[in-house]
Amino acid sequence: MMRPIVTTVRANRHRGEVEAVIDGERRILCLTLGSLAELETAFASDNLMALAARFSSGRLKAEDMIRILGAGLRGGGNLVSDEDVAGMGVEGGIAGLARLTGDLLVATFGNAEAPPDP
């Protein structure tokens, strides 16, 4: 009997991807250029620097996290709306969602606290 080939989804951090289990399903999130344009519009930001500055403030509302995660999920190839994202869960509850949002933003914009490369 032949076994089916099982492919494992893995995030590529060099492309800004983050892997997460959301609602029991392994998913890839990525803030692509299209996703970032979507967020610029949603947050009425003039440019990517303004968007990055807003996110680095550390003061994100639940609605902000929904938008960011929704854009990241869509950028990773998941067909979800922000309304779908609002009902999704991750391990760790709201703290897990906040951690995932932070991981996605760091994968996209880098870590302002990290030392520069030599």
Side-chain angles (χ1 to χ4, degrees):
M1 176 184 236
M2 292 188 89
R3 291 186 180 170
I5 297 173
V6 177
T7 57
T8 305
V9 177
R10 297 311 263 177
N12 183 337
R13 291 295 286 211
H14 296 289
R15 290 192 308 229
E17 295 176 346
V18 173
E19 182 178 338
V21 176
I22 301 173
D23 276 350
E25 184 179 331
R26 187 174 304 280
R27 300 174 188 254
I28 297 292
L29 294 86
C30 183
L31 290 177
T32 62
L33 191 56
S35 300
L36 291 168
E38 177 185 333
L39 290 174
E40 282 177 336
T41 300
F43 291 108
S45 294
D46 292 334
N47 55 53
L48 284 177
M49 294 302 291
L51 194 63
R54 177 186 175 113
F55 295 155
S56 68
S57 73
R59 294 189 209 154
L60 296 177
K61 300 184 298 185
E63 182 180 11
D64 298 343
M65 290 193 304
I66 290 168
R67 286 180 172 168
I68 294 164
L69 293 175
L73 282 162
R74 289 186 290 278
N78 300 275
L79 299 176
V80 296
S81 68
D82 285 351
E83 291 78 24
D84 296 331
V85 174
M88 293 178 165
V90 300
E91 187 175 324
I94 191 67
L97 288 167
R99 194 169 28 260
L100 175 56
T101 303
D103 288 349
L104 181 58
L105 293 174
V106 168
T108 303
F109 294 105
N111 187 349
E113 298 174 9
D117 290 345

